Amino acid sequence: MYAYLLLGALSLALAQKPQVLIGTGGIGGVYFYYGTAVAEILTKSGVVQAQAMQSGGSIENLMLLRDRTDAARGIYYCGTALPDATLMAYQGEERFQGKPVPVRILFTMYPNYFHVVTTEGGGIRVLQDLKGKRVSTEVPGGIIEYEARVLMSAALPGFDPRVHFAKWERIRVAESAQMLSEGNLDAFFWSGGLPTGSILELSGSLSRKGKRLYLVPLAKESTPVQVLMRRFPGVVDTGIIPKSVYNTRYDTPTLTFWNVFVCPASLPEELAYAMVKAVFENLPTLYTAVAPARDTNLENAVRSRGGKVPYHEGAVRFFREKGVWR
């Protein structure tokens, strides 16, 4: 009888364990693999039952966090997100107009690098050259598409993708890379960690065909970059994609964004603390699973603390204990 009671109590405890669903991105992008690795770490740690889910990226993840979290049932939607999307969500702007998201940061992950991907022989050297080309701006309504529109509007006054592009695609990075490799696309926009698997594979595919990948430079002093940096002050920075990453001929100046791992404000403090603790006690596992995760460490984890989007109290307590929240 005691064994049956013990088994019943164990089953009840498992059933009552909080569930965390982690919104990531499309297969082929770093978000998907990073979120999957974090979900496995959290589940194996016994803190929560965690599951990663493919999504449309930052904006969809933030909407899921807002609309699908059910604290009363112990169901919490967390996710990976770009900092500009997170700021828009927190302030209730653009796609979140009138419905701000009660978002909190658990930790800062790694930097995204903005990619405008094409080939050396495609006749595209600057953003203006995309006029009359076949271009993908990533998935509809996503933050990458939003960033692409801001940049293109600064480069081409009155920009309208339906008018200025010979063909306007709105597809995920893996499909864009395949279409470009097959000659069915001239360029595509992407924001991701280094390296992004789909672009690394594209570089190899092009090389086998005697071609070479080219990344359109986005110099800090250029008007499009300045416009985007003014739109998101303190969130957008600049950096370099080294030529060694994708075997390009040159180092490429571009925009950078430090990704954040986010959760709802309703996530209990003890649970948030335990989740962050589990991740940072298993960083070697994360590093093995995802190359860009090498930039996930205690110092970088708190680098967003000066921004407008607050950290979760449970995360702050963990980082204070570790001496990095000063």
Side-chain angles (χ1 to χ4, degrees):
M1 175 64 74
Y2 177 74
Y4 282 115
L5 288 173
L6 184 61
L7 182 60
L10 180 59
S11 298
L12 181 62
L14 287 173
Q16 292 177 338
K17 185 175 290 187
Q19 295 182 44
V20 171
L21 292 100
I22 299 173
T24 60
I27 294 175
V30 178
Y31 274 6
F32 178 80
Y33 303 107
Y34 192 104
T36 299
V38 169
E40 290 175 358
I41 288 171
L42 294 177
T43 297
K44 287 180 180 178
S45 73
V47 174
V48 295
Q49 287 292 327
Q51 180 179 345
M53 51 186 288
Q54 185 179 341
S55 76
S58 300
I59 289 180
E60 184 177 341
N61 295 343
L62 289 157
M63 287 182 170
L64 288 168
L65 185 155
R66 179 191 65 194
D67 301 334
R68 300 287 292 276
T69 290
D70 188 344
R73 296 173 57 206
I75 299 173
Y76 302 94
Y77 278 77
C78 298
T80 51
L82 279 160
D84 45 354
T86 305
L87 180 60
M88 286 196 302
Y90 179 71
Q91 296 184 153
E93 299 172 343
E94 300 292 340
R95 292 287 302 280
F96 306 94
Q97 190 70 44
K99 291 187 69 178
V101 179
V103 59
R104 297 293 184 268
I105 297 172
L106 281 179
F107 56 91
T108 303
M109 303 190 299
Y110 62 89
N112 258 23
Y113 291 75
F114 203 82
H115 300 59
V116 185
V117 184
T118 184
T119 59
E120 280 199 346
I124 299 169
R125 288 292 177 268
V126 294
L127 290 175
Q128 289 85 345
D129 294 334
L130 293 173
K131 184 177 180 180
K133 302 295 185 181
R134 300 165 299 172
V135 182
S136 173
T137 55
E138 250 284 321
V139 295
I143 188 62
I144 296 174
E145 181 177 85
Y146 179 84
E147 293 160 352
R149 282 175 171 269
V150 172
L151 291 169
M152 289 304 300
S153 295
L156 292 171
F159 170 72
D160 182 340
R162 292 163 296 187
V163 174
H164 288 93
F165 293 154
K167 184 180 182 182
W168 180 28
E169 297 283 2
R170 305 168 86 185
I171 53 179
R172 297 183 186 278
V173 61
E175 190 176 351
S176 292
Q178 182 177 348
M179 286 184 67
L180 196 150
S181 177
E182 294 170 349
N184 298 318
L185 196 68
D186 298 311
F188 63 89
F189 288 85
W190 170 248
S191 181
L194 296 184
T196 292
S198 292
I199 301 177
L200 197 60
E201 291 172 11
L202 170 62
S203 177
S205 171
L206 290 173
S207 180
R208 290 189 290 273
K209 297 175 182 179
K211 299 180 180 180
R212 197 167 197 163
L213 190 81
Y214 181 77
L215 300 175
V216 176
L218 298 172
K220 184 175 183 177
E221 62 275 9
S222 68
T223 298
V225 169
Q226 287 297 312
V227 167
L228 194 61
M229 292 181 74
R230 285 196 298 270
R231 172 66 183 86
F232 298 103
V235 170
V236 184
D237 206 344
T238 55
I240 298 290
I241 300 178
K243 60 185 179 182
S244 59
V245 175
Y246 300 115
N247 191 33
T248 53
R249 198 176 301 276
Y250 313 103
D251 292 341
T252 306
T254 194
L255 292 155
T256 61
F257 312 77
W258 276 85
N259 296 285
V260 287
F261 195 91
V262 296
C263 69
S266 60
L267 187 72
E269 182 176 335
E270 288 299 324
L271 190 54
Y273 174 90
M275 287 171 61
V276 175
K277 185 174 187 289
V279 170
F280 283 86
E281 286 183 348
N282 290 278
L283 287 180
T285 301
L286 188 59
Y287 295 166
T288 300
V290 196
R294 63 185 177 274
D295 288 314
T296 301
N297 56 50
L298 285 171
E299 291 293 336
N300 284 336
V302 299
R303 67 183 298 134
S304 302
R305 66 186 179 277
K308 294 182 179 180
V309 182
Y311 275 69
H312 194 287
E313 299 88 341
V316 172
R317 176 154 65 90
F318 175 80
F319 294 130
R320 279 200 176 116
E321 288 179 3
K322 292 299 180 180
V324 293
W325 190 279
R326 307 180 185 94

